Amino acid sequence: MALVNVHYLNLQDNYLFADIAKKVNAFKVMHPKADVISLGIGDVTQPLCPAVISAMQKAVTEMSDASTFHGYGPEQGYEFLRDAILKNDYVPRGIHLDIDEVFINDGAKSDIGNFQELLHWDNFICVTDPIYPVYIDSNAMIGRCGAYKNGRWSYVTYTPCTAENGFIPEIPKNHHVDIIYLCYPNNPTGTVITKTELRKWVNYALKNDALILYDAAYQAYIQDPDIPHSIYEIRGARKCAIEFRSYSKTAGFTGIRCGYTIVPKDVTAATFEGERISLNKLWNRRQCTKFNGTSYVSQRAAEAIYSPEGKEQIQKTIDYYMANAAKMLDVLRSLGYECYGGENAPYIWMRTPGGKSSWQFFEELLYGAHVVCTPGSGFGPSGEGYVRLTAFGSHESTAEALERIKQWGRG
Ligand SMILES: *Cc1c(COP(=O)(O)O)cnc(C)c1O
């Protein structure tokens, strides 16, 4: 008899995007002529830049000839890409890492979900709330989160991030946590963390022997020069933090699949006997056993974004999305909506007017303006009373959505 992993049975079905689709479809059935615009999408819409396309075409051509063909690559990724990462993403910020502290992944989600398997099941995790659901769910899958009741997992520490506390998560005061997930710039709130605030978390981790898993998937959207792009800009972080990065939002790689994970050699976890074990070694062991590398073509595509043309081209697309975000903030605020984020991230976190629930406002916006948003309550208990709007649409559809919201307000 094959026994099932019962922890999977405790997972909540992630109905958020399915529920949204269902409600949008019901609306379309009743209003077949209405043209619905989505400000809910979490995917990019603009094409890959020319530098990436030509690097991929070249790589594909290499694959067509036995003398330049590439089979299995290194599990950790090709040196050409790992080297480009160090030289472009870290050295200019004064961060010096070794090449074997860089692991190329097939998108950050896999590594974020998998990294927890290096850690004993009865560590306590801490997350900011609202959050990207992968952090909790991947831990729940091995039973680390306890039981799910009233929208919360019993063993998870939630640190609320709301307008009331300026979206600054508070360090756990009265109890110890072992593993901390931070995501900055944040999905879904679009807010960022200052060096001063991030330093508090690093100091907590160093003092309390905790591990920080830092998701920097949106770092390319940071506009403010004082906001940290990497947790390693904070002294001591290389002793307590893992960093996940992705080309998905940086360069439109959601369909290409490539990113990387930094596992510094100084980061360790303890055995019950108190021996310190290097997580870099364990992660390498894990990857060599379970992962056969990201495709050669994807890694050449990623390398191309570090060329002078590549850098310029991806920046143009980021500017394109950020122009949407600026316009959204401008129009929505002028209409009296309370908006957060959107300045260093492609997300706007909007408080629902009049204390409405996230879902109630979602329906009103859909029926009144034919615009789709994402209910904030789908991202955790502190997301109730907010909705997430994304800047990933085209200029035209974003402008049209804003115009409709304006008209709806007048109606
Ligand atoms: C999109 C996103 C990622 C990146 O996922 P990929 O697997 O690299 O496409 C990581 N973290 C957050 C919070 C995201 O929104």
Side-chain angles (χ1 to χ4, degrees), residues 21-99:
K22 230 185 275 171
K23 286 182 198 278
V24 172
N25 281 334
F27 171 81
K28 282 182 175 164
V29 168
M30 282 186 275
H31 304 84
K33 290 209 185 103
D35 155 43
V36 175
I37 298 179
S38 180
L39 291 182
I41 34 168
D43 198 353
V44 296
T45 56
Q46 299 304 301
L48 294 170
C49 69
V52 165
I53 294 293
S54 61
M56 290 182 78
Q57 282 166 337
K58 185 165 164 248
V60 169
T61 304
E62 286 178 54
M63 292 300 222
S64 70
D65 189 304
S67 67
T68 49
F69 167 79
H70 284 77
Y72 290 126
E75 290 90 343
Q76 303 82 359
Y78 284 101
E79 266 194 38
F80 63 76
L81 179 55
R82 298 160 86 200
D83 199 47
I85 288 166
L86 294 181
K87 287 204 176 101
N88 292 281
D89 289 343
Y90 292 100
V91 170
R93 297 189 183 279
I95 301 162
H96 296 273
L97 297 163
D98 270 0
I99 198 155

Side-chain angles (χ1 to χ4, degrees), residues 195-226:
K195 278 189 187 155
T196 308
E197 288 301 320
L198 187 54
R199 192 172 294 120
K200 290 182 192 168
W201 285 95
V202 169
N203 288 343
Y204 173 91
L206 292 171
K207 193 162 160 228
N208 297 278
D209 203 354
L211 176 68
I212 297 177
L213 301 180
Y214 195 74
D215 183 349
Y218 295 94
Q219 59 79 29
Y221 289 82
I222 295 173
Q223 313 286 313
D224 181 341
D226 293 333

Side-chain angles (χ1 to χ4, degrees), residues 319-329 391-395 398 402:
D319 293 346
Y320 180 94
Y321 295 133
M322 290 310 283
N324 282 341
K327 179 136 197 233
M328 290 161 75
L329 280 178
F392 285 133
S394 65
H395 284 338
T398 305
L402 291 172

